[in-house]
Amino acid sequence: MFSLFRHSLFIILSLFISRTIFSQVPLSYYFPSSVHYNPSIPTPQSFFGFQVGELHFSPDQIHAYMRTLDAASDRITIEQMGETYEQRPIFLLTITSPENHRNIQSIKEQHKSLTDPSKSSTLNLDTMPVVVWIGYSVHGNEPSGSNASVLMAYHLAAAQGNEIEQELKDVIVLLNPSINPDGLNRFATWANMHKGNKLVADPQSREHNEIWPGGRTNHYWFDLNRDWMPLQHPESRGRLEKYYEWRPNVLTDHHEMGTNNTFFFQPGVPSRNNPLAPASVMNLTAKIAQYHARALDQIGSLYYSEEGFDDFYIGKGSSYPDITGGIGILFEQGSSRGHLQESIHGDVSFPFTIRNQLTTSFSTLKAAHDMRKELLAHQRDFYTAAIRESDRATIKAYVFGSSGDPVRAYHLVDILRRHEIQVYELSKPLRAEGTVFEPGAAYVVPTNQSQYRLLTSLFEKRTSFDDSLFYDVSTWRMPAAFNMRSAELKSLDRSLLGKEVQSTFPRGSVVGPTTDYAYVFEWTGYYAPRALYRFLKADVKAKVGTRPFEAVTSEGKKRFDFGTIVIPVGIQPEKADTIRKLVEKAAEEDGIRVFALNTGMTVTGIDLGSPSFQVVQLPKVALLVGQGVSFTDAGEAWHVLDRRFEMEVSLLELSLFNRADLSRYTTIVMVGGTYTGIDSSGRESLKHWIDNGGTLIAMENAIEWTINNKIAAARLRKDESSKKDTIVARRSYADEEAFTRALEIPGTIFEVRYDRTHPLLFGYQDSLMYVFRNTTVFLDPSKNPYATPAQYTEKPLISGYMNKQHEKYIKGSAALLIQANKSGRVILMTDNPNFRAFWYGTNKLFLNSIFFGATIRASSGRTEK
């Protein structure tokens, strides 16, 4: 009894000391006292010159130490699996016994066979190692994970004894020390530059309050923990390639949360698991959780599970493995957000947070070792069961396509192929669900394949849910994200399947020989805006057709639609050679067809010299950023312009806006945000700029700011049910949070009807479009019949969750609203057209606003007095 008391007292005292006094702790603070370490392996302190937890490691420091361990230990190999936008390497360490390293390729191939039902039944699980992927700090300002990676790698390289040798014989450890090096570097710099000689735990101290946008995100301010499914960033693409090279049985995802929290590990909320994940995932997660609980009990750390977090959205690191044959485990540590910070549980030190992450890394390793055969059997049975489920499924295939824009289809196919989903060309015409799909412009995804659960998640329409609360979005239906018509096939004629697609970017072409008169290209191509920007940046004049026409090309007569771009050669003859080179470059790199015309006289419709062709000016875009602006929304807009469409964009800091020279810009973009930093002088300057020809684009709740500050005259639809004389029904105190959050729109797909003759809808070929919404900003349509070019339908819900209370507000509401202010235009978008970079279908709304906003007739946007 006394021994137990003494042990408990030691835990309490060591916890108190580590959390309240010291920034530097001995190495023994982190590791079990029973383990001895190989003295030939350099310790972190001997390498860095300071102890882990004393300062925040930059990713460069971490990677340098990992290379040193690789050189010093025969248990470790290191490889680069990608590079960030800031050209930092992303490393993966393979850590196992020397014998396993000698046979690593055969082990890898044998392990992958678990996912192939034609091979898995003959495998001997008794001799197969289990594969554990440990991923640290996808959010850069949640650094305890990446700092713990140094200790974990040292332990696995240097620990001695029968226990570690047996573990490394039976386990392949894949260690990703920094999932987000760019964000980690920003935060490490911030935390270290504000550390004093005496640690300050005051939460209000600058050390604990990063300036906007903080270190959470990657270079373009994206949350990489939402990118496992969209795969829009190099960090995610490199990681997923290695994921499928190995198919890990367990994948850990180490995070931090608010300082006043303790430590969370999965399972999450049981009612909010993705229904496509088998019950065995939850059962195994719960069994592994017992290992975490015992390990944290031994060091006296508080923890919880089955609350707050869920595994519904498959694009997170802890959720994606659950429907691809593994077990994903989320860890959330209450953060010190620096070196030491006050909390309701006492001061939280950086070393304390690191130790909890390290402790649960150890417990994961032990659980995987002890449950090795169970985890291997789960992966084998997962894929065998998936094939059986696909056999019983009512949907046998999905078909999708876009006749006018092969590039959008390419990008969707590229994502599917990266997820190892088999996609086939459509071999003959098919009519399904009212849509005709044509060969050469459509694809088929059979459901009878090993990735059945994953592909079903990517294509399904879901509007009913067991739970109305979501940690993330409620739907992510991929054809809708690309604004593509798709259909579910209840039976599959195998003759519909053409060649299996390997995803090759569709090259465009120049139709006709060099001309001295004009080149034209349609606006339907996804990268048509990039092509136009090439010309305008080269000081080549361009015009946009506001009406259709038919012209004679070298292929015969062709109809050109609304939004066709004309590059007149004859009026700028000194640029003829430049124009031809740009035409060829656009065809090759932007995937568009450019037609050479030898006359300005058309067969029908407007001639090329018609006033219905409007001059397009070179866009000079300012994106407002800074405190009060959604950094994810801003990053999405920045990324789509800079990276995807190769356009220059000025990031205009809100703190500078009130004294900025706005005349430098043709367009100002306000993504979701509050914008309280713009004072009266800034507001007057903005109004003056618009009156003089500027185009303001305001999205989501930025719309409310424009209305409240009399920049836009639109009318918000508000909930009028909570008036003073209304009798309020009593509700349970315990249900308040759940009730309030159930009224949110967590991320849902809706349908809007649009006018494709309007400049903001040039390039769209239908009358219906899919949009993604995660706000409750609703707008009344304008009384001007031409000022609402896109409007929600009467039954707009396509996929995802929507509380019934919102139906009356969203149906028939405006999705796009235009207002003319003298020579300028204000464009209101209730939804984010650039959501997470994978919502390709609405990107063009954003680009059209930038290129064509100034061409909108004043009468079409005039508001009533």
Side-chain angles (χ1 to χ4, degrees):
M1 180 64 72
F2 177 74
S3 176
L4 179 61
F5 172 78
R6 186 172 59 184
H7 177 65
S8 301
L9 183 61
F10 170 77
I11 290 174
I12 294 170
L13 287 174
S14 65
L15 180 62
F16 175 79
I17 291 170
S18 69
R19 296 174 84 168
T20 59
I21 299 176
F22 299 114
S23 63
Q24 185 171 4
V25 296
L27 195 59
S28 59
Y29 172 74
Y30 295 111
F31 292 127
S33 59
S34 59
V35 178
H36 297 282
Y37 291 90
N38 183 346
S40 69
I41 304 296
T43 66
Q45 188 170 14
S46 69
F47 180 84
F48 296 109
F50 57 89
Q51 186 55 273
V52 177
E54 185 178 357
L55 290 167
H56 285 248
F57 291 133
S58 71
D60 298 336
Q61 289 174 309
I62 293 173
H63 295 158
Y65 182 65
M66 298 303 180
R67 290 191 189 96
T68 297
L69 291 181
D70 176 32
S73 172
D74 58 0
R75 297 174 179 176
I76 293 178
T77 59
I78 188 170
E79 60 184 318
Q80 183 173 331
M81 60 178 176
E83 188 177 79
T84 71
Y85 289 114
E86 296 176 15
Q87 299 183 345
R88 288 188 175 88
I90 306 167
F91 284 126
L92 185 69
L93 280 68
T94 302
I95 309 175
T96 189
S97 68
E99 181 183 357
N100 283 344
H101 271 297
R102 287 190 290 271
N103 300 295
I104 202 72
Q105 193 58 40
S106 61
I107 291 173
K108 183 187 298 183
E109 292 304 320
Q110 185 185 45
H111 183 77
K112 285 179 66 177
S113 296
L114 284 172
T115 65
D116 184 350
S118 68
K119 301 176 181 177
S120 60
S121 61
T122 62
L123 296 173
N124 181 7
L125 304 188
D126 291 336
T127 59
M128 289 182 65
V130 67
V131 179
V132 177
W133 182 300
I134 304 178
Y136 293 109
S137 299
V138 68
H139 298 142
N141 63 357
E142 300 175 5
S144 56
S146 283
N147 282 261
S149 75
V150 169
L151 294 166
M152 185 63 174
Y154 169 73
H155 173 82
L156 295 177
Q160 295 178 310
N162 293 333
E163 183 177 351
I164 186 66
E165 289 179 3
Q166 190 61 47
E167 282 183 340
L168 292 179
K169 178 183 177 183
D170 295 338
V171 183
I172 308 290
V173 177
L174 305 172
L175 192 150
N176 183 188
S178 176
I179 302 172
N180 177 12
D182 291 351
L184 182 68
N185 191 71
R186 286 202 303 277
F187 183 75
T189 301
W190 178 269
N192 290 336
M193 70 187 282
H194 292 101
K195 180 192 176 190
N197 184 47
K198 299 294 184 182
L199 298 189
V200 177
D202 177 7
Q204 297 182 118
S205 183
R206 197 166 193 257
E207 178 185 358
H208 307 301
N209 297 279
E210 296 172 87
I211 58 172
W212 192 98
R216 176 182 176 88
T217 53
N218 76 343
H219 174 80
Y220 284 102
W221 311 331
F222 279 76
D223 184 338
L224 290 176
N225 195 41
R226 305 299 187 270
D227 196 46
W228 277 80
M229 182 273 292
L231 295 176
Q232 295 303 303
H233 302 286
E235 299 93 336
S236 307
R237 293 188 169 198
R239 181 178 63 242
L240 200 72
E241 184 177 342
K242 284 298 173 185
Y243 177 90
Y244 279 115
E245 190 176 307
W246 270 108
R247 301 276 191 146
N249 301 97
V250 177
L251 183 144
T252 66
D253 195 16
H254 294 256
H255 290 252
E256 292 182 3
M257 53 183 166
T259 304
N260 286 325
N261 291 289
T262 58
F263 191 93
F264 169 87
F265 52 79
Q266 286 179 317
V269 180
S271 62
R272 290 174 9 210
N273 283 329
N274 192 294
L276 292 168
S280 56
V281 170
M282 181 63 119
N283 295 336
L284 288 169
T285 304
K287 188 171 181 179
I288 294 172
Q290 298 301 315
Y291 286 80
H292 308 319
R294 286 194 292 270
L296 292 170
D297 285 342
Q298 289 175 4
I299 62 171
S301 290
L302 296 174
Y303 56 84
Y304 66 99
S305 64
E306 297 187 322
E307 292 182 60
F309 301 93
D310 66 43
D311 270 339
F312 184 79
Y313 172 55
I314 65 164
K316 297 186 300 178
S318 61
S319 306
Y320 186 83
D322 293 351
I323 61 167
T324 54
I327 305 295
I329 299 176
L330 171 67
F331 297 118
E332 293 274 356
Q333 165 64 49
S335 180
S336 65
R337 282 292 189 271
H339 296 86
L340 188 71
Q341 188 173 173
E342 295 172 6
S343 84
I344 60 175
H345 302 104
D347 290 355
V348 177
S349 73
F350 190 36
F352 173 78
T353 66
I354 294 170
R355 185 172 67 159
N356 281 343
Q357 300 280 22
L358 180 66
T359 298
T360 48
S361 299
F362 290 157
S363 58
T364 300
L365 182 59
K366 180 168 177 54
H369 177 261
D370 292 354
M371 298 168 58
R372 179 181 61 84
K373 288 181 64 175
E374 199 172 354
L375 291 166
L376 293 169
H378 165 75
Q379 191 169 60
R380 177 196 62 197
D381 298 344
F382 178 97
Y383 285 99
T384 303
I387 294 296
R388 289 199 301 266
E389 286 180 28
S390 71
D391 289 337
R392 297 191 299 265
T394 57
I395 299 172
K396 299 305 180 184
Y398 297 95
V399 59
F400 66 90
S402 171
S403 59
D405 184 8
V407 171
R408 258 185 307 133
Y410 155 78
H411 281 298
L412 174 51
V413 170
D414 182 60
I415 292 172
L416 298 175
R417 293 296 301 131
R418 289 177 187 274
H419 287 295
E420 300 213 340
I421 293 171
Q422 295 166 356
V423 183
Y424 297 85
E425 295 177 352
L426 180 68
S427 64
K428 57 186 179 181
L430 172 69
R431 184 177 182 85
E433 296 185 15
T435 299
V436 176
F437 298 93
E438 297 287 350
Y443 302 89
V444 183
V445 179
T447 58
N448 186 235
Q449 53 179 297
S450 62
Q451 292 285 59
Y452 166 74
R453 291 184 175 114
L454 176 58
L455 71 87
T456 300
S457 177
L458 297 178
F459 280 88
E460 69 175 351
K461 303 174 187 175
R462 185 181 292 274
T463 56
S464 60
F465 303 88
D466 295 333
D467 197 316
S468 59
L469 302 185
F470 301 87
Y471 185 72
D472 200 73
V473 299
S474 66
T475 185
W476 45 91
R477 188 168 176 262
M478 294 303 281
F482 286 77
N483 197 39
M484 285 190 186
R485 298 300 166 209
S486 63
E488 300 169 348
L489 305 183
K490 306 300 182 184
S491 62
L492 177 60
D493 177 358
R494 301 295 295 186
S495 67
L496 291 172
L497 302 183
K499 184 173 64 175
E500 185 173 355
V501 181
Q502 298 303 322
S503 184
T504 302
F505 185 82
R507 297 296 180 185
S509 61
V510 181
V511 180
T514 299
T515 179
D516 293 329
Y517 194 81
Y519 294 97
V520 300
F521 59 90
E522 293 185 287
W523 200 246
T524 50
Y526 180 76
Y527 288 116
R530 189 166 72 189
L532 175 57
Y533 190 80
R534 293 183 194 276
F535 289 103
L536 297 177
K537 189 64 179 171
D539 198 27
V540 172
K541 293 180 177 64
K543 291 187 172 186
V544 58
T546 60
R547 294 181 181 276
F549 61 94
E550 185 179 30
V552 176
T553 75
S554 62
E555 293 182 344
K557 295 178 183 178
K558 174 175 170 55
R559 183 182 185 275
F560 292 90
D561 208 349
F562 296 96
T564 295
I565 301 299
V566 173
I567 309 295
V569 180
I571 65 171
Q572 41 196 351
E574 72 280 2
K575 296 186 176 66
D577 291 341
T578 299
I579 291 172
R580 182 65 190 190
K581 290 176 182 177
L582 289 172
V583 163
E584 293 170 348
K585 188 178 183 68
E588 179 183 3
E589 296 184 7
D590 302 327
I592 63 173
R593 301 189 79 206
V594 186
F595 294 82
L597 300 183
N598 294 316
T599 176
M601 183 170 286
T602 62
V603 178
T604 60
I606 57 176
D607 293 323
L608 297 195
S610 165
S612 293
F613 278 100
Q614 298 285 310
V615 173
V616 183
Q617 301 294 336
L618 174 68
K620 297 178 181 178
V621 181
L623 172 64
L624 300 193
V625 299
Q627 195 63 41
V629 178
S630 166
F631 57 80
T632 53
D633 288 5
E636 288 156 3
W638 180 26
H639 174 271
V640 78
L641 295 177
D642 177 60
R643 180 64 56 164
R644 195 170 288 170
F645 289 93
E646 299 179 6
M647 295 170 59
E648 295 176 13
V649 53
S650 297
L651 305 179
L652 184 55
E653 181 69 35
L654 273 183
S655 61
L656 302 176
F657 184 84
N658 298 319
R659 60 182 185 276
D661 175 11
L662 301 186
S663 66
R664 298 175 61 92
Y665 313 115
T666 62
T667 307
I668 292 176
V669 179
M670 301 176 73
V671 299
T674 58
Y675 297 93
T676 54
I678 300 178
D679 63 17
S680 58
S681 64
R683 294 192 294 272
E684 289 305 312
S685 177
L686 180 60
K687 291 176 185 178
H688 180 74
W689 172 82
I690 296 170
D691 288 346
N692 282 280
T695 299
L696 175 67
I697 304 170
M699 303 175 189
E700 300 181 301
N701 55 341
I703 291 172
E704 297 181 282
W705 183 90
T706 66
I707 294 173
N708 293 337
N709 289 282
K710 303 189 184 326
I711 290 168
R715 177 183 170 85
L716 290 166
R717 290 185 174 182
K718 295 285 189 179
D719 185 354
E720 303 293 338
S721 63
S722 56
K723 295 182 178 179
K724 290 183 179 179
D725 57 351
T726 301
I727 298 175
V728 179
R730 301 300 109 188
R731 296 190 180 97
S732 168
Y733 174 82
D735 294 338
E736 179 183 6
E737 182 183 11
F739 178 80
T740 303
R741 288 185 56 198
L743 296 179
E744 299 172 354
I745 296 179
T748 305
I749 300 171
F750 294 97
E751 182 182 65
V752 302
R753 188 175 299 279
Y754 61 87
D755 170 17
R756 71 184 197 87
T757 73
H758 195 282
L760 295 192
L761 280 306
F762 284 170
Y764 288 95
Q765 298 176 290
D766 202 342
S767 60
L768 296 173
M769 176 189 300
Y770 303 119
V771 298
F772 189 89
R773 167 180 281 263
N774 57 2
T775 73
T776 54
V777 176
F778 306 111
L779 280 176
D780 277 337
S782 173
K783 292 182 180 179
N784 182 329
Y786 308 107
T788 311
Q791 192 170 352
Y792 281 83
T793 60
E794 288 301 302
K795 293 183 178 180
L797 180 62
I798 296 298
S799 185
Y801 171 79
M802 180 180 69
N803 190 286
K804 291 289 184 182
Q805 181 171 314
H806 293 312
E807 278 190 45
K808 59 183 176 181
Y809 301 111
I810 196 167
K811 65 179 182 180
S813 67
L816 283 175
L817 214 59
I818 314 301
Q819 179 177 311
N821 290 14
K822 295 184 179 179
S823 297
R825 306 292 179 262
V826 178
I827 299 171
L828 306 182
M829 298 183 171
T830 59
D831 310 306
N832 176 5
N834 307 311
F835 181 71
R836 289 185 183 167
F838 81 98
W839 210 261
Y840 281 74
T842 50
N843 285 159
K844 191 160 284 183
L845 292 178
F846 183 45
L847 274 296
N848 286 356
S849 300
I850 291 171
F851 281 99
F852 305 141
T855 71
I856 300 171
R857 288 191 301 268
S859 59
S860 301
R862 196 169 289 130
T863 55
E864 303 75 15
K865 300 296 184 183

